[in-house]
């Protein structure tokens, strides 16, 4: 057995943590398939700082990850479907009981939208969503003063229903070398947002749920990203029901956009059972356009771009 000299062993023990590290709390979709719903934590210099989505089951995965949460105060919501936001009260409670001091959450998510058709549902703005959950008359209003005082600074990000020829990329947070940018996505009738996190020369871009007709914004925000996290639900046509292509991007288009933005690595998450069963075909379709590494997400996985 080969052992390191003492000096090298000490150096390894004191090595700086990665600038950015991704922890997958939930790699699944809306079905109860053994995966938690879509959720991630981003560590900045080894410290948990940013929650991205909060699907059902993420509370349990967060406990399994055994992360110190004393500085986790930024929340990015890609959209307000239940498989992406239904676990938010649990995550907030976990954060509240992690230390005794007040927590000032900075929350970002899509602005609201009236239903496009009479039979469809309206979507509240993220600020309204948070108030419905945690406001004085909210369903979980007690959490604001449970264990630690919770305060919310909510930022509604415009996510129009019609595509823009030049979708605008905006910086929504810039503090201490950590920068977060956003651009509108498109997920049928649900207002949706794409995010990019940059720190110390590394970056992670989250597609959220997005259909292939609206990839222009993703192409703009993800240029040169170290890690592209793409929600992958459907097979290439005609392998999935037609309606799903109005909501999600197929593997061929994912490979094309990953190549166009020169992504360092591609992580496929929000995985459906149909896609899980066809991993070889999915990977081959992506590889026809993108030569970088492709990883299929698993709950509890950690990646440093």
């Amino acid at each position: 057995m080969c052992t390191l000299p003492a000096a090298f062993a000490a150096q390894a023990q004191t090595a700086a943590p990665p600038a950015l590290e991704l922890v997958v709390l939930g790699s699944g979709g809306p079905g109860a398939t053994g995966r938690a719903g879509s959720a991630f934590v981003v560590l900045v210099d080894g410290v948990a700082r940013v929650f991205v989505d909060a699907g059902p089951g993420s509370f349990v995965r967060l406990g399994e990850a055994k992360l110190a949460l004393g500085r986790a105060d930024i929340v990015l919501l890609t959209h307000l479907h239940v498989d992406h936001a239904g676990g938010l009260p649990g995550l907030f409670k976990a954060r509240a009981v992690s230390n005794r001091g007040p927590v000032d959450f900075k929350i970002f998510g899509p602005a609201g939208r009236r239903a496009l058709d009479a039979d469809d549902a309206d979507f509240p703005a993220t600020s309204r969503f948070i108030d419905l959950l945690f406001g004085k008359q909210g369903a979980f209003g007690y959490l604001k003063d449970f264990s630690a005082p919770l305060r919310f600074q909510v930022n509604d990000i415009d996510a129009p229903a019609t595509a823009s020829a030049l979708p605008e990329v905006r910086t929504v947070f810039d503090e201490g070398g950590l920068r977060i940018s956003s651009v509108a996505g498109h997920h049928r009738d649900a207002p949706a947002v794409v995010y990019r996190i940059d720190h110390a020369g590394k970056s992670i871009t989250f597609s959220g749920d997005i259909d292939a007709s609206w990839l222009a914004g993703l192409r703009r925000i993800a240029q040169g990203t170290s890690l592209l996290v793409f929600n992958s639900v459907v097979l290439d046509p005609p392998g999935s029901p037609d309606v799903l292509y109005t909501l999600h991007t197929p593997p061929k288009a994912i490979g094309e956009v990953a190549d166009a933005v020169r992504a360092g690595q591609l992580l496929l998450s929000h995985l459906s059972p149909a896609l899980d069963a066809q991993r070889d075909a999915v990977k081959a379709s992506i590889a026809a356009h993108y030569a970088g590494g492709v990883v299929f997400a698993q709950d509890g996985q950690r990646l440093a771009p």
Side-chain angles (χ1 to χ4, degrees), residues 7 33 47 59 61 80 86 98 108 112 128 130 134-135 157 159 179 205 211 234 268 281 285 290 292:
T33 61
V47 177
F59 177 84
R61 297 291 182 255
L80 301 184
S98 68
F108 302 87
R128 174 63 174 154
I130 296 299
F134 308 111
I157 299 172
R179 186 174 73 253
T205 302
D211 66 74
V234 295
L268 303 180
S285 179
Y290 172 66

Side-chain angles (χ1 to χ4, degrees), residues 123-258:
F123 281 91
T126 300
S127 55
R128 174 63 174 154
F129 175 69
I130 296 299
D131 187 60
L132 288 168
L133 288 176
F134 308 111
K136 186 173 180 60
Q137 302 298 320
F140 304 109
Y142 81 97
L143 277 178
K144 286 194 69 174
D145 296 309
F146 181 85
S147 181
L150 303 182
R151 296 189 288 260
F152 307 112
Q153 176 188 326
V154 188
N155 301 268
D156 296 327
I157 299 172
D158 189 36
T162 56
S164 169
L166 292 172
E168 183 178 1
V169 176
R170 297 182 177 180
T171 298
V172 296
F173 181 88
D174 194 347
E175 185 179 297
L178 175 65
R179 186 174 73 253
I180 302 173
S181 307
S182 72
V183 72
H186 192 259
H187 188 46
R188 201 180 180 191
D189 60 332
V193 181
V194 177
Y195 295 100
R196 173 172 173 151
I197 299 173
D198 283 89
H199 178 64
K202 297 294 184 178
S203 61
I204 306 174
T205 302
F206 297 87
S207 74
D209 286 356
I210 187 172
D211 66 74
S213 70
W214 255 42
L215 294 177
L218 181 63
R219 289 191 184 95
R220 295 194 74 192
I221 200 172
Q223 286 295 324
T225 192
S226 308
L227 174 63
L228 176 58
V229 182
F230 213 115
N231 289 0
S232 186
V233 177
V234 295
L235 301 170
D236 285 325
S240 298
D242 288 346
V243 67
L244 291 182
Y245 296 111
T246 69
L247 294 159
H248 299 286
T249 302
K252 177 178 181 291
I254 292 175
E256 290 171 344
V257 75

